[in-house]
Amino acid sequence: MKLVLATSNKGKVREIKAMCEDFEVVPYTELIDEFEIIEDADTFKENALLKAHAVFNALRDDSVIVLADDSGISVEVLDGAPGIYSARYGGEDATDKDNLNTLMKNIKKTGVVSSPAFYTAAMAIVTKDIHRTVHGWMYGTALTEAQGEGGFGYDPMFIPLGFDKTLGELDDETKRKLSHRSKALSLVRKILKTL
Ligand code: ITT
């Protein structure tokens, strides 16, 4: 089965490919030119659907299965921020590093060195006949100092529950076993089986 990913985030592509070795996984940017998708919905779920529909329509191929991932980190001491705004937390053209530094700085400003936090991944599957969404979560602690270089995005500042190292220090295999993305993907698989 071929899955077209509605993402241009290389970290997501790498992780989804590693978790779906039994599928042919192709980022949409290998099939058509990358284009901007305005993610202006209020929830992870609606933004995931928006991305999946945009790519499905752009591909002009009724036989494709499109998978989108909208995700982010929510920090308790910041009342759930950045949440759906995770990709642009450090500004319009922010890099992953800018976002990471902004989040650590803003947690520090509240006077703490760490805070409970969680990642959310909403995934949308769109075909010519269906559009479905699922969610996965990963709980843990957000730090004010980055540790390690592994993973992507906010991983160097996030310690998953039950561990004493950040996702920047833990190996890819460990993240794969417990991540929000892998939990959502296990539900995606159940839906794909019904197609
Ligand atoms: P697409 O919309 O093209 O998929 P994006 O990077 O803009 O790519 P999102 O809008 O879903 O994706 O934003 C997700 C943000 O949350 C982004 O800054 C990621 O780096 C971060 N993020 C999501 N999952 C993550 C993970 O597993 N580890 C670290 N950071 C993550």
Side-chain angles (χ1 to χ4, degrees):
M1 192 180 275
K2 179 166 153 180
L3 278 184
V4 178
L5 298 187
T7 181
S8 42
N9 181 312
K10 292 190 172 64
K12 290 184 188 179
V13 172
R14 195 181 64 240
E15 289 190 3
I16 295 170
K17 274 191 170 170
M19 290 185 267
C20 291
E21 282 176 335
D22 43 342
F23 297 118
E24 188 191 346
V25 177
V26 184
Y28 85 91
T29 48
E30 284 182 15
L31 303 174
I32 53 175
D33 286 344
E34 187 173 347
F35 60 98
E36 192 187 5
I37 303 172
I38 310 287
E39 299 170 35
D40 56 0
D42 294 333
T43 61
F44 289 112
K45 172 181 163 170
E46 295 301 326
N47 278 327
L49 272 173
L50 212 142
K51 289 189 254 195
H53 277 128
V55 168
F56 184 85
N57 292 334
L59 287 170
R60 297 175 179 278
D61 174 359
D62 272 357
S63 69
V64 294
I65 303 171
V66 175
L67 177 68
D69 167 315
D70 197 63
S71 43
I73 189 168
S74 301
V75 178
E76 188 176 291
V77 80
L78 299 175
D79 297 326
I84 60 166
Y85 304 108
S86 295
R88 271 157 219 90
Y89 195 54
E92 246 335 284
D93 298 315
T95 62
D96 271 13
K97 269 247 152 61
D98 298 331
N99 289 330
L100 175 79
N101 288 331
T102 304
L103 186 55
M104 293 191 300
K105 190 181 75 198
N106 287 349
I107 297 173
K108 210 182 262 177
K109 271 193 206 156
T110 71
V112 299
V113 292
S114 67
S115 167
F118 62 92
Y119 277 112
T120 304
M123 287 193 167
I125 305 159
V126 167
T127 70
K128 77 174 186 348
D129 299 316
I130 63 152
H131 50 102
R132 300 262 189 284
T133 51
V134 295
H135 289 81
W137 290 272
M138 170 168 51
Y139 293 87
T141 304
L143 306 179
T144 48
E145 301 289 340
Q147 292 170 202
E149 300 281 325
F152 68 98
Y154 297 97
D155 286 343
M157 62 174 291
F158 185 86
I159 298 182
L161 211 60
F163 290 79
D164 58 4
K165 290 191 168 94
T166 68
L167 289 173
E169 298 169 297
L170 294 165
D171 58 25
D172 291 352
E173 177 66 21
T174 306
K175 182 178 179 190
R176 210 176 297 153
K177 283 193 184 132
L178 44 110
S179 80
H180 48 313
R181 189 157 292 109
S182 67
K183 288 174 189 149
L185 263 179
S186 71
L187 298 173
V188 164
R189 282 174 178 284
K190 290 184 202 256
I191 294 169
L192 293 178
K193 276 194 191 145
T194 68
L195 298 183

Coordinates of all heavy atoms in Angstrom, one line a residue, residues 7-9 12 39 51 69-72 86-87 96 99 119 152-155 175 180-181, ligand 1:
T7 N 3.3 16.3 4.3 CA 4.2 17.1 5.2 C 5.5 17.4 4.5 O 5.9 16.7 3.6 CB 4.5 16.3 6.5 OG1 5.3 17.1 7.3 CG2 5.2 15.0 6.3
S8 N 6.1 18.5 4.9 CA 7.4 18.8 4.4 C 8.4 18.9 5.5 O 9.5 19.3 5.4 CB 7.4 20.2 3.6 OG 6.6 21.1 4.3
N9 N 8.0 18.3 6.7 CA 8.8 18.3 7.9 C 9.7 17.0 7.8 O 9.1 15.9 7.9 CB 8.0 18.3 9.1 CG 8.8 18.3 10.4 OD1 9.7 17.5 10.5 ND2 8.5 19.2 11.3
K12 N 9.4 14.4 10.7 CA 8.2 13.6 10.7 C 8.3 12.5 9.6 O 8.0 11.4 9.8 CB 7.0 14.5 10.3 CG 6.5 15.4 11.3 CD 5.2 16.1 10.8 CE 4.8 17.3 11.7 NZ 3.6 18.0 11.2
E39 N -2.3 26.8 7.8 CA -2.9 26.0 8.9 C -3.6 26.9 9.8 O -3.1 27.3 10.8 CB -1.8 25.2 9.6 CG -1.1 24.2 8.6 CD 0.1 23.6 9.3 OE1 0.1 23.3 10.5 OE2 1.1 23.4 8.5
K51 N -4.5 19.8 6.0 CA -3.3 19.5 5.2 C -3.6 18.3 4.3 O -3.2 18.3 3.1 CB -2.1 19.2 6.1 CG -1.6 20.4 6.9 CD -0.3 20.1 7.6 CE -0.5 20.0 9.1 NZ 0.7 20.0 9.9
D69 N 0.0 14.9 9.4 CA 0.3 14.9 10.8 C 0.3 16.3 11.3 O 1.1 17.1 10.8 CB 1.7 14.2 11.0 CG 2.3 14.4 12.4 OD1 2.3 15.5 12.9 OD2 2.9 13.4 12.9
D70 N -0.5 16.7 12.2 CA -0.4 18.0 12.9 C -0.1 17.7 14.3 O -0.8 17.0 15.0 CB -1.7 18.8 12.7 CG -1.3 20.3 13.0 OD1 -0.5 20.9 12.2 OD2 -1.8 20.8 14.0
S71 N 1.0 18.3 14.8 CA 1.5 18.0 16.1 C 2.1 19.2 16.8 O 2.2 20.2 16.3 CB 2.5 16.8 16.0 OG 3.4 17.1 14.9
G72 N 2.4 19.0 18.1 CA 3.0 20.1 18.9 C 3.1 19.7 20.3 O 2.7 18.6 20.8
S86 N 3.0 25.4 17.8 CA 4.4 25.0 18.1 C 5.3 25.3 16.9 O 6.5 25.5 17.1 CB 4.4 23.5 18.3 OG 3.7 23.2 19.5
A87 N 4.8 25.2 15.7 CA 5.7 25.3 14.5 C 6.3 26.7 14.3 O 7.3 27.0 13.8 CB 5.0 24.9 13.2
D96 N 13.7 25.2 13.9 CA 13.4 24.3 15.1 C 14.2 24.8 16.3 O 13.7 24.8 17.4 CB 13.9 22.9 14.7 CG 12.8 22.0 14.1 OD1 11.8 22.6 13.7 OD2 13.0 20.8 14.1
N99 N 12.5 27.9 17.8 CA 11.3 27.5 18.6 C 11.8 26.9 20.0 O 11.2 27.2 21.0 CB 10.5 26.4 17.8 CG 9.8 27.1 16.6 OD1 9.5 28.2 16.6 ND2 9.6 26.2 15.6
Y119 N 3.2 16.0 24.3 CA 3.1 16.1 22.8 C 1.8 15.6 22.4 O 1.3 14.5 22.9 CB 4.2 15.3 22.2 CG 5.6 15.8 22.0 CD1 6.6 15.3 22.7 CD2 5.8 16.9 21.1 CE1 7.9 15.8 22.6 CE2 7.1 17.4 21.0 CZ 8.2 16.8 21.7 OH 9.4 17.3 21.5
F152 N 14.1 15.7 16.7 CA 14.0 17.0 16.0 C 13.2 17.9 16.9 O 12.7 17.5 18.0 CB 13.4 16.8 14.6 CG 12.0 16.3 14.6 CD1 10.9 17.3 14.4 CD2 11.6 15.0 14.7 CE1 9.6 16.9 14.4 CE2 10.3 14.6 14.7 CZ 9.3 15.5 14.5
G153 N 13.0 19.1 16.4 CA 12.1 20.0 17.1 C 12.4 20.2 18.6 O 13.5 20.5 19.0
Y154 N 11.4 20.0 19.4 CA 11.5 20.2 20.9 C 12.2 19.0 21.6 O 12.2 19.0 22.9 CB 10.2 20.5 21.5 CG 9.5 21.8 20.9 CD1 8.6 21.8 19.8 CD2 9.9 23.1 21.4 CE1 8.1 22.9 19.3 CE2 9.4 24.2 20.8 CZ 8.5 24.1 19.8 OH 7.9 25.3 19.3
D155 N 12.6 18.0 20.9 CA 13.0 16.8 21.6 C 14.2 17.0 22.6 O 14.2 16.3 23.7 CB 13.4 15.7 20.5 CG 12.2 15.1 19.9 OD1 11.1 15.2 20.5 OD2 12.4 14.4 18.8
K175 N 12.3 6.4 21.2 CA 11.2 7.4 20.9 C 10.1 6.7 20.1 O 8.9 6.9 20.4 CB 11.7 8.6 20.1 CG 10.7 9.6 19.8 CD 11.1 10.8 19.1 CE 10.0 11.8 18.9 NZ 10.3 12.9 18.0
H180 N 3.9 10.1 20.7 CA 2.6 10.5 20.3 C 2.4 10.0 18.8 O 1.3 9.5 18.5 CB 2.5 12.0 20.4 CG 3.7 12.8 19.8 ND1 5.0 12.4 20.1 CD2 3.7 13.8 18.9 CE1 5.8 13.3 19.4 NE2 5.0 14.1 18.7
R181 N 3.4 10.1 18.0 CA 3.3 9.8 16.6 C 3.1 8.3 16.4 O 2.3 7.9 15.6 CB 4.5 10.3 15.8 CG 4.5 10.2 14.3 CD 5.5 11.2 13.7 NE 5.1 12.6 13.9 CZ 5.7 13.4 14.7 NH1 6.8 13.0 15.4 NH2 5.3 14.6 14.9
Ligands
ITT1 P1 4.0 20.1 8.2 O1 2.9 21.1 8.6 O2 4.5 20.3 6.8 O3 3.7 18.7 8.6 P2 5.3 21.4 10.5 O4 6.7 21.3 11.0 O5 4.8 22.8 10.1 O6 5.3 20.5 9.2 P3 3.3 21.2 12.4 O7 2.5 22.4 11.9 O8 2.5 20.0 12.8 O9 4.3 20.7 11.4 O10 4.1 21.7 13.7 C1 4.7 20.8 14.6 C2 5.7 21.5 15.5 O11 5.9 20.7 16.6 C3 7.0 21.7 14.8 O12 7.7 22.8 15.3 C4 7.7 20.4 15.2 O13 9.1 20.6 15.3 C5 7.1 20.2 16.6 N1 7.0 18.7 16.8 C6 6.0 17.9 16.4 N2 6.3 16.6 16.7 C7 7.5 16.6 17.3 C8 8.3 15.6 17.8 O14 8.0 14.3 17.8 N3 9.5 16.0 18.4 C9 9.8 17.3 18.5 N4 9.1 18.3 18.0 C10 8.0 18.0 17.4

